[in-house]
Amino acid sequence: MDFLEDDSYSSRTPPLPGRPLPYSKVLNDPIHGHIELDEVCMHVIDTPQFQRLRDLKQLGSAYFVFPGAANNRFEHCIGVCHLAGVLVEHLRKVQPELGITDNDVKCVKLAGLCHDLGHGPFSHVFDNEFMKQARPGLHWTHEKASEDLLQYLVDDNEHVNINSEEIRFIKDLIHGAPRGDYPQAKKLFLFDIVANQRNSVDVDKFDYIQRDCHNVGIKTSLDARRLMTFARVIDDQICFNQKEAYNLYEMFHTRFSLFKRVYTHKVGKAVEYMLSEALLAADAPLGLSASVDDMRQYMFLTDSILKEIERSSDPQLEKSRAIIKRIRKRDLYRFVDQILVPLHLATEIKASITADAIVACQEAEDHLIADDVIVEWLKLGYAMKDRNPVDNIGFFSKWHPDVKFHVPKEHVSSFIPNDFEEITLRVYARNNDKRQRIQQAFRKLVKQMNEKFGVEVVLEAGVGVYGDYNAGHFAFPTAPTPSRQVPPQEQRTPTQSPYKATPRNIIGFASPLPPVRFSPDHRSLPNVVSPIHSAQTSPIRPMRLEPSEATLLPPNYTEISSPARKRVREDGHLSSDLLTASVAQLKKTRTM
């Protein structure tokens, strides 16, 4: 039966006026599942200023290393908006006495949605590298640009219904603290949701940790929903159930791991330096740094700037095009070497190890100049520099849900570190052909620094600059008196792995006097390093800088390196026999 041509059928079903549901959209997000966005949020999303985020890579230069790191700021901001709404609605439900209004919910969600509007090309490359060099006297941050771009978004789109009082509140929510006296400023806990300045636990981290791990293929145990379920407000601060203390430490450790393994990957950082230098070379003709003063121009500045430079035939962009071409051909700046820096020596080492100092240690035939070398000073931590962020988190128990207290890390786990900042000094070469010479000069400088410090610290291979407190092997000005004779079955040679037999029972030290072994009762030995202490909190601090053997280049690196073989192959002079011989030599060198 053809219903379209049946008049009797159509007459029995007269058309009814439509009554649609309140305007909203449901998005299927790979991290949070189905996300419903209300009309106000959709009005903001459907603007050129917000759609710009589709063209900004969340992980910046990491995409040149991790092919899966193709996620953009667009989906991250939507995820943060969703989580901000989930958390504020949860607090309103479980604690109605907080007086959270519909307008509060609206502004918190919009703050999550707009918190990253101001990011520039390749995200943090633009503000952390490019802007600091292009306009060093300007204190500019992407958070400030987010506030400015939000104002421009509202002014430029009549359909966006956000009044001036709400804009002020949203800007402060993005900032993380109230900057004036208005009704919502008294609800300090609301400012903890999107950008938490107290302890750095906020929905921004909840989203990017899960989203970035998902995209680069790293597993994470972070369960943001669980943390938010066990959250409540005490004394105007968002607090968590005390049983979530370890999960919060895990969250900060996962963040640290992402920075260590992804965000500051040695190849990604090399690309970051090249991107920054390409943008600096194009700054004068294109006015890139000046665009931050005019949001009408800045909103068009995205990752597509590379294509714009490549398409141009302007002679002023020749240097920038050359750098970008090197990136396209994978002729990257090369990681040379690195050392972990003891925190108590950071100031002196930073002032002493510079590009000029490294070049000064070269051999006469090396022909190095300071511009060949890049020295990176990399600080990583738990999001609050050298402080423990969990010390600033309030907790409650199921028996006293309205009493806030602190949970010492000693009550959580003995594996939690004592130091919450790690400093790594890295060296890069702009020219791969000079990589080995730069490494030799750098290691010569490191040796001079160790002689300058004058205190010998013997480190076993693979242990690291901070030493191993089970193995010990630190030098002492005087030898402490042993408290007991160590049985033969507990003794080992200095090169024996500290993880065999009884790893926590022996602390060994090397000194100008004959080696002695000590009992595990370190309290009776005032000069002994505690096995649970770090290098910075121990009575004896290792002072030797130790480049890793893993980064040492083979003597014939210049001939067998990937760029060298690629260059010869492109010139058509590399026979298959020579290639096989080069690979065999490389394998032989690695086994030496």
Side-chain angles (χ1 to χ4, degrees), residues 98-99 101 103-104 165-166 168-169 172 178 180-191 236:
L98 296 175
T101 65
N103 187 260
D104 293 338
E165 290 77 14
E166 291 171 337
R168 179 186 186 184
F169 183 31
D172 283 356
D181 185 16
Y182 49 92
Q184 296 95 330
K186 298 178 182 178
K187 301 175 183 178
L188 294 178
F189 64 91
L190 292 177
F191 299 87
D236 229 357

Side-chain angles (χ1 to χ4, degrees), residues 58 196 200 210 244 387 392 405 478:
Q58 170 85 8
N196 192 334
S200 200
Q210 295 179 96
E244 296 306 306
R387 294 178 292 158
N392 297 325
F405 57 87
T478 59

Side-chain angles (χ1 to χ4, degrees), residues 338-359:
Q338 69 178 21
I339 55 174
L340 288 175
V341 178
L343 300 183
H344 61 285
L345 298 175
T347 302
E348 185 171 2
I349 291 174
K350 186 175 184 179
S352 301
I353 301 182
T354 63
D356 289 324
I358 294 172
V359 170

Side-chain angles (χ1 to χ4, degrees), residues 339-573:
I339 55 174
L340 288 175
V341 178
L343 300 183
H344 61 285
L345 298 175
T347 302
E348 185 171 2
I349 291 174
K350 186 175 184 179
S352 301
I353 301 182
T354 63
D356 289 324
I358 294 172
V359 170
C361 294
Q362 67 177 307
E363 299 297 329
E365 64 277 7
D366 286 347
H367 306 297
L368 299 176
I369 60 175
D371 193 55
D372 294 328
V373 182
I374 298 174
V375 177
E376 177 189 17
W377 189 256
L378 178 62
K379 287 186 176 182
L380 300 180
Y382 272 24
M384 295 190 73
K385 297 184 179 180
D386 60 346
R387 294 178 292 158
N388 178 6
V390 183
D391 286 342
N392 297 325
I393 298 177
F395 293 93
F396 62 88
S397 68
K398 68 181 293 185
W399 309 117
H400 302 285
D402 297 319
V403 177
K404 181 178 69 174
F405 57 87
H406 167 63
V407 177
K409 66 184 182 65
E410 292 80 9
H411 294 177
V412 180
S413 172
S414 60
F415 282 89
I416 296 173
N418 282 335
D419 293 309
F420 293 89
E421 185 175 58
E422 174 186 278
I423 302 177
T424 305
L425 189 147
R426 286 176 175 172
V427 180
Y428 291 85
R430 286 188 171 90
N431 186 340
N432 180 68
D433 293 338
K434 299 182 179 181
R435 183 181 184 185
Q436 190 165 36
R437 284 171 278 169
I438 293 173
Q439 184 182 80
Q440 293 169 350
F442 171 69
R443 294 202 170 202
K444 183 177 179 181
L445 176 60
V446 169
K447 183 178 179 181
Q448 294 176 1
M449 295 289 292
N450 285 329
E451 293 172 352
K452 176 181 178 181
F453 293 146
V455 177
E456 180 71 11
V457 180
V458 182
L459 296 178
E460 293 185 354
V463 171
V465 71
Y466 294 125
D468 178 75
Y469 302 112
N470 297 326
H473 300 303
F474 296 109
F476 281 85
T478 59
T481 303
S483 59
R484 70 178 176 91
Q485 184 68 31
V486 179
Q489 64 271 22
E490 294 185 13
Q491 296 181 7
R492 60 182 178 84
T493 63
T495 58
Q496 183 178 337
S497 170
Y499 299 103
K500 296 179 181 179
T502 54
R504 293 298 292 268
N505 293 338
I506 305 174
I507 304 176
F509 301 89
S511 74
L513 301 178
V516 289
R517 304 289 177 181
F518 305 98
S519 77
D521 186 9
H522 60 274
R523 291 170 297 179
S524 63
L525 303 173
N527 289 330
V528 175
V529 181
S530 166
I532 63 171
H533 282 175
S534 70
Q536 286 72 44
T537 59
S538 305
I540 299 298
R541 297 178 175 183
M543 301 178 69
R544 184 178 180 85
L545 306 176
E546 192 80 3
S548 172
E549 290 298 316
T551 59
L552 182 62
L553 298 174
N556 60 336
Y557 169 79
T558 304
E559 293 78 26
I560 66 173
S561 67
S562 297
R565 287 184 285 134
K566 179 180 179 181
R567 184 167 58 247
V568 174
R569 185 167 60 249
E570 289 176 348
D571 292 341
H573 300 308

